[in-house]
Amino acid sequence: MPTPLVVGNWKMNPPSIAEAVALAQALRAPLGAVEGVERVVCPPFVALPAVADALAGSPIVLGAQNVHPQPKGAFTGEVSGAMLQGVCSHVIVGHSERRHSLGETDDFVNAKVLAVLGLGMTPVLCVGETLEERDAGEASAVVERQTAAGLAGVEPGDVTKVVLAYEPVWAIGTGRAATPETAQEMIGGIRAHLVRLTDSATAAQVRLLYGGSVNAANAAELAALPDVDGALVGGASLDPDAFVAIARAFATRA
Ligand code: PEP
């Protein structure tokens, strides 16, 4: 069983670098003390250096919320993987807020996965269906398509270097998490797809996260699911007590 992983996606929060540093300082001791689980926080780009300083020497590592697949060039407003090297170990790619609000395609997300892997960092590849797709009975097909497209061109031996996060769009920021049955069904389906892409030993080693309204109250039942190796957490990751409780719930899974 892979080491569990919790990733906090701070999104465009907190509103200032000083508050991001204060959040990191509040997390540092209690989150650092939770053993048996890898802990990643993903502040906004501009806060990364200050948060890195605040967490220096702690076991909590940093992730970025996005990356551009090209190493440099005329891409106004974008940040390359090379710029993140040495600061971040993880990079979220394909978050639904970028797929759906900013029009990121499966091919573009795949290019990011390959770029992040090529630089020796860990992509956290987000997949998940909208409510319309679920209601139309297309949830599994959408997630399978996003998974296959996101992993296109990844060497079979590198698949374990990718983290996959199943994040149903209808559960993100809504307070309506997937039921444990749905989370297990969908994430078990991703694991089965990985077996077909690689082999069962490799697929068993890939970290599969659930994301979508994870909180301190529902983390334990999600952590008990056989295929859920961790959580990608948005809103609750801004509350140190809640994020530490979520990390503890997954640590007991190890
Ligand atoms: C997310 O943004 O990835 C997320 C899961 O958000 P929330 O936990 O707030 O639903």
Side-chain angles (χ1 to χ4, degrees):
M1 190 182 288
T3 305
L5 168 68
V6 291
V7 181
N9 175 14
W10 293 3
K11 309 195 190 191
M12 203 166 71
N13 300 295
S16 70
I17 294 174
E19 287 161 284
V21 169
L23 177 55
Q25 286 168 339
L27 282 168
R28 183 181 169 115
L31 186 61
V34 184
E35 292 180 357
V37 57
E38 287 180 28
R39 293 136 288 177
V40 181
V41 293
C42 304
F45 281 130
V46 291
L48 279 169
V51 172
D53 284 348
L55 295 176
S58 117
I60 306 165
V61 299
L62 287 186
Q65 298 176 18
N66 183 38
V67 68
H68 194 279
Q70 294 297 325
K72 62 179 179 143
F75 301 101
T76 303
E78 294 290 337
V79 172
S80 76
M83 294 169 184
L84 297 171
Q85 266 187 318
V87 182
C88 296
S89 52
H90 294 66
V91 184
I92 297 172
V93 296
H95 193 283
S96 65
E97 286 156 13
R98 300 195 63 86
R99 288 183 190 263
H100 296 290
S101 304
L102 300 169
E104 292 197 358
T105 63
D106 284 339
D107 286 350
F108 194 49
V109 172
N110 174 239
K112 295 180 185 209
V113 169
L114 296 174
V116 172
L117 279 176
L119 291 164
M121 295 184 286
T122 301
V124 180
L125 168 61
C126 301
V127 299
E129 80 285 359
T130 63
L131 190 57
E132 292 70 30
E133 289 164 338
R134 170 156 289 272
D135 288 345
E138 295 166 358
S140 296
V142 167
V143 166
E144 188 160 324
R145 187 203 77 225
Q146 292 175 339
T147 302
L151 295 176
V154 176
E155 296 295 329
D158 283 345
V159 172
T160 56
K161 297 176 184 168
V162 180
V163 172
L164 276 133
Y166 168 62
E167 295 211 306
V169 180
W170 44 269
I172 295 178
T174 60
R176 184 187 156 203
T179 62
E181 294 72 25
T182 299
Q184 173 55 36
E185 180 195 349
M186 296 301 293
I187 294 174
I190 294 172
R191 184 93 62 198
H193 180 68
L194 293 176
V195 172
R196 294 194 289 279
L197 282 181
T198 58
D199 55 73
S200 47
T202 302
Q205 287 307 310
V206 179
R207 250 99 59 96
L208 303 183
L209 313 185
Y210 168 77
S213 296
V214 177
N215 57 39
N218 62 21
E221 63 184 4
L222 292 162
L225 299 171
D227 280 302
V228 178
D229 303 311
L232 177 53
V233 186
S237 72
L238 299 170
D239 174 344
D241 290 343
F243 194 53
V244 170
I246 292 165
R248 283 204 190 106
F250 280 93
T252 61
R253 190 180 194 279

